[in-house]
Amino acid sequence: KNRPRFPVDPRKLRTVVTTAFRQRRKMMRQSLKGILNGKVLPDHWATKRPEELPPHEFLALTGFIFGLQDEAPSYDTPVWRNAGRQRSPASN
């Protein structure tokens, strides 16, 4: 199956998304402080709450924090918890 190239490491994207949403009602500047590695978030991200960002902005934000990846990711490694397990029809 031919999948589109992902511009960032999916594991890093997961880190950004879960960290951003971990603290309710906080602006991104405060929520992401622990993973910024000394970088200063530009105001267009820093002054927003995570629920205000569309998905493509999380890709750009992840690229800003961790850099873009040079090669296509491996889709064989699950990124999200339980990603490799099949859901039973009863749990849907």
Side-chain angles (χ1 to χ4, degrees):
K1 194 175 190 180
N2 217 358
R3 294 184 184 192
R5 189 180 182 294
F6 216 52
V8 295
D9 182 337
R11 292 172 294 245
K12 301 292 186 188
L13 176 61
R14 178 178 189 252
T15 297
V16 170
V17 171
T18 56
T19 303
F21 281 98
R22 187 171 289 141
Q23 295 182 339
R24 297 243 182 234
R25 304 296 300 157
K26 297 282 185 183
M27 289 190 181
M28 298 293 280
R29 176 186 296 125
Q30 186 66 27
S31 295
L32 299 178
K33 188 168 46 175
I35 63 170
L36 286 176
N37 302 320
K39 294 182 180 179
V40 177
L41 274 183
D43 280 341
H44 66 275
W45 286 320
T47 58
K48 290 189 176 175
R49 291 187 169 92
E51 62 270 17
E52 296 176 304
L53 295 181
H56 71 272
E57 284 292 319
F58 279 100
L59 291 171
L61 181 57
T62 303
F64 172 79
I65 296 171
F66 295 108
L68 300 175
Q69 60 181 29
D70 296 328
E71 57 188 51
S74 168
Y75 288 101
D76 298 332
T77 304
V79 175
W80 303 100
R81 228 176 301 156
N82 303 324
R85 286 200 265 168
Q86 293 284 340
R87 295 183 72 172
S88 66
S91 65
N92 287 336

